[in-house]
Amino acid sequence: MRQNKEKLSNQAVQSYKIKSQLIRKLRTRFATYGYEQVHTPAFEDYDTYASIQKTVNKDEMIKVIDRSGKVLVLRPDGTIPITRLTALDREINGSEQRLFYIFNVYGEQNSNGTNKESTQAGAELFGNKRPEADAEVIALAVHTLKEIGFDNFKLEVGHAGFFKELVDQANLVENELQQLQELIQSKNLAEMEPFLKQLQIRDELQEALYAIPLLYGNPQAVLEETKAIIKNERMQEVLNNLKDVIEVLTDYDLLEHLTLNLGLINNMHYYTGVIFQGFVENIGKPVLMGGRYDQLAEQFGKAMPAIGFAYKVDVVLEALKQHQLIKDDNNPPLQIYYVPEERRNAFSAAKLLREQGYAVITKPFAKNAQQAGILFQSNGRVIVNGNEQQVETNEELLNLAELATGGV
């Protein structure tokens, strides 16, 4: 029983360590692009989300009532509170803001229908709506996937405005729109054709909608194919915007990781421009999702363009395990033993080594125990892994620490 408990404890420690290493990589990479970390409270006012239409599923939010009777929710996403935080900052007046967050969100449901806690790591760029801003955020997402260790991955890039414009022309009711979105997302062309024919819309509009799932693949080729279904000036503007973003991404040398997908229409009420999601090979769900959401800040009283994305950290960890990219860095702490009269010297050595980044545990020396590490013996002798060594300087102590921990 004790061994089982120790095994479970060790697994929990190792899992937390692996997740911490991933979060550290994400934090470091976001910072190298000039993004600064912010945090928001775990409990948010329910009204913050109830007043924002068609974003978070309010039925899945975890609600509590505080002592005053006010309804609160456990933070269900990262973008909305970060946007509110930025919009309400009086010192920000049209200036660019690069912010990132790494925290837990609540309310997404497991397959068994129970609520769960998960970790999001997101980056948000406010105050810039140029194609260069879109490309920078996509480049950061790609760079981070590489940093984590993935080689075989793709970012699917689309645009919310293209499909919206066609739908506006079709004048569909809610259930028709929902069914059409599902058919496009699943690329179900067999059922899509009869569905479109039953709608009271022009033939050329049917053809344009039917073509959307097929507009998928090499960015340059898809941009060329899309010209054939441009119906008005607004659609041409969308196409021009996509072309500009792809042109900037070409200068980032990222096209090998990108697929243009005009059938990418997730959460169309939320996004206003470029949208994207990232997939890792053999993982059937996206590890990140993002896009431009220029109208969200208006619901907090400020017009402020924005684009961002969020990693699903737990999905990334699942992908790392499946691709066997988790390195075993579980090096045990360095053990420093001492006889009573050498305790002061042992503590001094431990302090120096900890300042150099070593994990160190100090223990009194016990005879007949297996001693692997550094032993401060009487008469100033130092034993390292059973062999007597000389140590008179800090440099020699660091060399002994490398030797004791298996370093070269």
Side-chain angles (χ1 to χ4, degrees), residues 337-352:
Y337 303 92
Y338 55 86
V339 296
E341 60 269 29
E342 290 295 321
R343 182 172 60 194
R344 184 179 184 87
N345 289 334
F347 286 175
S348 177
K351 179 177 180 292
L352 173 66

Side-chain angles (χ1 to χ4, degrees), residues 136-367:
E136 176 190 301
V137 172
I138 293 173
L140 173 56
V142 172
H143 196 171
T144 307
L145 280 171
K146 289 183 176 180
E147 175 77 13
I148 293 169
F150 296 114
D151 292 320
N152 298 318
F153 64 87
K154 284 288 184 181
L155 252 68
E156 293 186 356
V157 180
H159 198 293
F162 199 85
F163 179 71
K164 280 183 178 179
E165 188 62 32
L166 288 176
V167 168
D168 287 345
Q169 294 181 49
N171 196 27
L172 303 179
V173 297
E174 186 66 30
N175 67 315
E176 291 174 336
L177 175 59
Q178 183 177 351
Q179 189 173 350
L180 178 59
Q181 286 181 285
E182 291 172 356
L183 291 171
I184 290 176
Q185 288 172 331
S186 63
K187 299 189 183 300
N188 189 345
L189 299 177
E191 292 187 21
M192 190 171 174
E193 184 174 10
F195 172 78
L196 289 172
K197 286 184 177 179
Q198 73 177 4
L199 300 177
Q200 301 299 315
I201 58 177
R202 305 187 311 273
D203 288 347
E204 63 175 8
L205 190 52
Q206 287 187 36
E207 293 173 1
L209 288 168
Y210 185 79
I212 283 182
L214 303 173
L215 296 174
Y216 177 92
N218 176 274
Q220 300 294 354
V222 172
L223 288 173
E224 191 64 30
E225 294 171 15
T226 305
K227 293 179 181 178
I229 61 171
I230 295 297
K231 301 302 177 186
N232 56 33
E233 184 176 343
R234 171 58 187 153
M235 292 179 70
Q236 185 62 55
E237 290 175 359
V238 169
L239 182 61
N240 291 342
N241 178 240
L242 267 177
K243 289 173 63 176
D244 291 341
V245 173
I246 295 300
E247 183 177 314
V248 180
L249 288 168
T250 301
D251 289 339
Y252 274 107
D253 291 326
L254 295 180
L255 291 194
E256 64 175 305
H257 295 293
L258 303 181
T259 296
L260 198 55
N261 179 12
L262 292 185
L264 181 59
I265 53 175
N266 293 333
N267 206 344
M268 299 304 296
H269 299 287
Y270 183 78
Y271 293 117
T272 59
V274 167
I275 51 180
F276 56 95
Q277 58 186 18
F279 289 92
V280 174
E281 187 179 41
N282 297 326
I283 303 296
K285 48 192 171 184
V287 295
L288 71 94
M289 298 181 68
R292 177 161 289 281
Y293 52 98
D294 288 343
Q295 297 172 359
L296 181 59
E298 294 177 5
Q299 303 194 50
F300 300 109
K302 181 179 287 188
M304 184 174 58
I307 182 172
F309 67 87
Y311 275 97
K312 298 180 178 181
V313 173
D314 302 290
V315 178
V316 175
L317 284 171
E318 179 185 328
L320 287 170
K321 291 176 183 177
Q322 184 163 329
H323 285 257
Q324 298 181 341
L325 292 174
I326 294 177
K327 297 179 181 179
D328 185 9
D329 295 329
N330 192 27
N331 295 322
L334 171 61
Q335 306 281 343
I336 291 184
Y337 303 92
Y338 55 86
V339 296
E341 60 269 29
E342 290 295 321
R343 182 172 60 194
R344 184 179 184 87
N345 289 334
F347 286 175
S348 177
K351 179 177 180 292
L352 173 66
L353 293 174
R354 286 169 179 148
E355 289 172 349
Q356 296 299 315
Y358 282 90
V360 180
I361 295 176
T362 58
K363 294 180 179 180
F365 174 68
K367 292 182 178 179

Side-chain angles (χ1 to χ4, degrees), residues 99-135:
L99 304 175
F100 78 89
Y101 60 90
I102 303 174
F103 50 51
N104 288 351
V105 296
Y106 307 84
E108 184 180 350
Q109 290 192 338
N110 287 315
S111 57
N112 60 8
T114 59
N115 290 320
K116 73 170 185 177
E117 174 185 26
S118 61
T119 305
Q120 277 188 4
E124 315 289 347
L125 172 54
F126 296 98
N128 188 334
K129 63 185 304 181
R130 294 179 58 83
E132 289 82 359
D134 294 346

